[in-house]
Amino acid sequence: MCGIVGVLGHHEVAPILVEALKRLEYRGYDSAGIATVNNGRLDRRRAVGKLVNLSDLLVHDPLPGKAGIGHTRWATHGAATVTNAHPHRSGPVAVVHNGIIENFRDLREELAAQGLTCETETDTETVAILARSLMDAGMSPREAARATLARLEGAFALLFLFDGEENLMVAARKGSPLAIGYGDGEMFVGSDAIALAPMTDRITYLDEGDHAFVTREGVEIFNAAGRPANREVTRIQLDQTRIEKAGYKHFMAKEIAEQPVVLADAIRHYTGEGTIRLPDALDFAAIDRLTLVACGTAHFACLTAKYWFESLADLPCEVDIASEFRYREPPLPAKSHAVFVSQSGETADTLAALRYSRGKVDKVVAVVNVPTSSIARESDIALPILAGVEVGVASTKAFTCQLTVLLLMALKAGHQRGRIDDAALARHVAALAALPGLMNQALAREPAVAAAAAAVAEAQDVLFLGRGAMFPLALEGALKLKEISYIHAEGYASGELKHGPIALIDKTVPVIVLAPRDTLFDKTVSNMQEVMARHGKVVLITDAAGAKAASEGTWKVLAMPEAPALLAPILYAIPAQLLAYHAAVAKGTDVDQPRNLAKSVTVE
């Protein structure tokens, strides 16, 4: 979602801030701005749209200073306008903010009674005005920031900069991540370690409720109770090549192509000598139920994993959308594990669901791509998916890595619960080791997928169908297509077609059928025939055997390599992703940063 950067440096910070914000573009944004203090004077520049607009503005209207803060905004309150763009300023205070201030209307009314009115539609401006009112009453910048934080309700990461203070930033974190970076006589703040990577590899992550006074000499951190706190300094290691396009037109294309490599890394990390290596504390034999919680694409990975856990391990498995989970107050048996799946590890709804579960279940488990994230740190066990940095907003390699780690967990559960013997486990591990090669073969079919996608791109509505573990993949395929091409798409279980969606079928509606030649193939083909009987245009994604058996009458056939049924949902993610990608390219949409979307959703 929104991105925050702050620098107390030795050099002009405007170009440094803009370059750091560029590294956060993948999170999604609609406006950007920076503020600096120069010779004691606070000033700012803001622009709507892409960062290039802010860069152009700074060429014509430079902003000097060696202390500054910057922000990319994804709108929650108010339209994308210069007035609503961050940083927000009131008198001597400038603020950048990720999250939502839930009580801003009450605060706004209180401040208006003092004659302090708002110029914007945002919740963030209220923070700056409140801090200003406290400084007008005689508080120092540090005192005013601390008193302001005590009045705020909601989720936020905040960074304050003050007129006349060239060696002070105040940072605060509640429900939204924030990190402090250490340099040589310089200090940095960022909502994402990626933004700070070119400047430092030494990072401290603020804990929930922390606030910090940052100067060039160092940082003083205080916990939620206001007491001094020591937070660990960690060294980050970011593979710089994974945050560059490396010759690809889009990050999404690069990340689709990286999947054989990152899956091989994950499989090697968790397997060896025919067995699966997971933490000993993960004891599936000791539990009666598993709860999987996630949002969006990660939720579809969990739906797929439900099939695996129940069929391989005979372990009842419940899957919840994180944004609904805690509000229905579900009962969680003590003899259960709760698994929270998130690419960023900062997804607000998923983190809130995790906190609801703590103390109610035997183990809280995180499946995340960022091992230093809030979800990872607050879990009993964190399992990294090892996908590497994913920049494209529409998740690709993180999805298949999530599936892979969840499948490994399901196989381990089956082994621990006596449903899979040593020999069978070794066979499954060997099959997994061959998966990256199969994915390379699937990627080699890209020209055929691109040709089909060009035709699909002309449609206004698309349906995806799948049975069994391919049903969640139908949901994921539809999500990918609508996310980046803006074509309306829906995924359905094939057997549900006649219970309503078949009313949508006509000659203008492509129907993507995900159907490897498995035990459910014949039933899926029957549903496919129902589509064709109503002049629907079927794109059949299957293997060679399936194509031979059922291609007659279809519009397009995309043949994937033969694969064990257990691995098909991971393998068939490739054509689903490529179809969405090439449809978006054909339509000319912004593939990596689709409208209205953010990479890391850190607000409810």
Side-chain angles (χ1 to χ4, degrees), residues 452-578:
V456 170
E458 298 178 4
Q460 292 185 321
D461 302 280
V462 178
L463 299 183
F464 284 73
L465 300 180
R467 274 187 182 267
M470 302 306 288
F471 163 46
L473 191 62
L475 296 171
E476 169 62 10
L479 177 63
K480 281 291 158 290
L481 187 64
K482 72 180 82 170
E483 278 183 314
I484 62 171
S485 74
Y486 316 145
I487 297 170
H488 173 249
E490 300 294 340
Y492 289 96
S494 299
E496 286 296 295
L497 183 68
K498 62 179 67 68
H499 297 289
I502 200 168
L504 301 173
I505 301 298
D506 63 25
K507 62 184 179 181
T508 68
V509 179
V511 180
I512 316 300
V513 180
L514 300 156
R517 187 69 186 266
D518 57 16
T519 57
L520 298 174
F521 178 76
D522 290 339
K523 290 191 176 295
T524 303
V525 169
S526 295
N527 302 130
M528 190 176 79
Q529 295 292 341
E530 294 168 354
V531 171
M532 293 190 292
R534 289 155 180 82
H535 310 293
K537 300 191 291 189
V538 169
V539 179
L540 175 60
I541 304 178
T542 185
D543 48 36
K548 183 177 180 180
S551 61
E552 184 178 352
T554 60
W555 186 42
K556 311 279 183 183
V557 177
L558 301 173
M560 294 295 108
E562 301 277 353
L566 199 62
L567 305 183
I570 307 175
L571 179 65
Y572 278 57
I574 295 284
Q577 294 165 357
L578 289 172

Side-chain angles (χ1 to χ4, degrees), residues 295-504:
C295 298
T297 286
H299 174 242
F300 298 147
C302 291
L303 288 175
T304 307
K306 176 182 173 71
Y307 286 90
W308 290 332
F309 278 107
E310 293 186 345
S311 63
L312 293 169
D314 194 28
L315 178 59
C317 184
E318 185 172 330
V319 179
D320 258 287
I321 298 171
S323 57
E324 293 292 325
F325 179 73
R326 65 190 172 114
Y327 295 113
R328 67 181 183 86
E329 299 181 354
L332 294 171
K335 291 181 65 176
S336 67
H337 290 346
V339 180
F340 299 88
V341 184
S342 166
Q343 187 282 134
S344 67
E346 302 293 349
T347 311
D349 290 315
T350 308
L351 183 56
L354 183 155
R355 289 170 178 163
Y356 170 85
S357 303
R358 289 198 64 85
K360 297 182 175 69
V361 296
D362 178 58
K363 288 288 186 301
V364 170
V365 184
V367 176
V368 292
N369 198 30
V370 185
T372 55
S373 63
S374 299
I375 290 175
R377 296 198 308 271
E378 295 190 27
S379 295
D380 300 314
I381 301 168
L383 302 177
I385 63 172
L386 304 171
V389 176
E390 187 178 70
V391 175
V393 166
S395 181
T396 52
K397 63 178 181 174
F399 174 65
T400 50
C401 283
Q402 286 168 353
L403 286 173
T404 300
V405 172
L406 289 166
L407 176 55
L408 287 162
M409 292 171 66
L411 289 167
K412 184 71 170 181
H415 189 244
Q416 288 180 336
R417 294 169 68 84
R419 300 269 298 184
I420 299 174
D421 62 24
D422 292 348
L425 184 64
R427 288 194 297 272
H428 285 306
V429 169
L432 266 169
L435 179 59
L438 294 174
M439 297 189 88
N440 273 319
Q441 294 178 45
L443 287 167
R445 271 69 161 183
E446 183 169 1
V449 180
V456 170
E458 298 178 4
Q460 292 185 321
D461 302 280
V462 178
L463 299 183
F464 284 73
L465 300 180
R467 274 187 182 267
M470 302 306 288
F471 163 46
L473 191 62
L475 296 171
E476 169 62 10
L479 177 63
K480 281 291 158 290
L481 187 64
K482 72 180 82 170
E483 278 183 314
I484 62 171
S485 74
Y486 316 145
I487 297 170
H488 173 249
E490 300 294 340
Y492 289 96
S494 299
E496 286 296 295
L497 183 68
K498 62 179 67 68
H499 297 289
I502 200 168
L504 301 173

Side-chain angles (χ1 to χ4, degrees), residues 259-284:
Q259 288 176 105
V261 173
V262 294
L263 256 71
D265 290 343
I267 293 165
R268 280 194 298 268
H269 179 81
Y270 287 109
T271 65
E273 298 180 355
T275 190
I276 294 172
R277 297 189 292 253
L278 291 173
D280 293 338
L282 202 58
D283 185 3
F284 293 104

Side-chain angles (χ1 to χ4, degrees), residues 181-203:
Y182 301 81
D184 184 9
E186 299 178 296
M187 292 293 288
F188 314 98
V189 179
S191 54
D192 195 318
I194 292 174
L196 305 184
M199 297 177 278
T200 181
D201 65 349
R202 293 188 297 137
I203 299 288

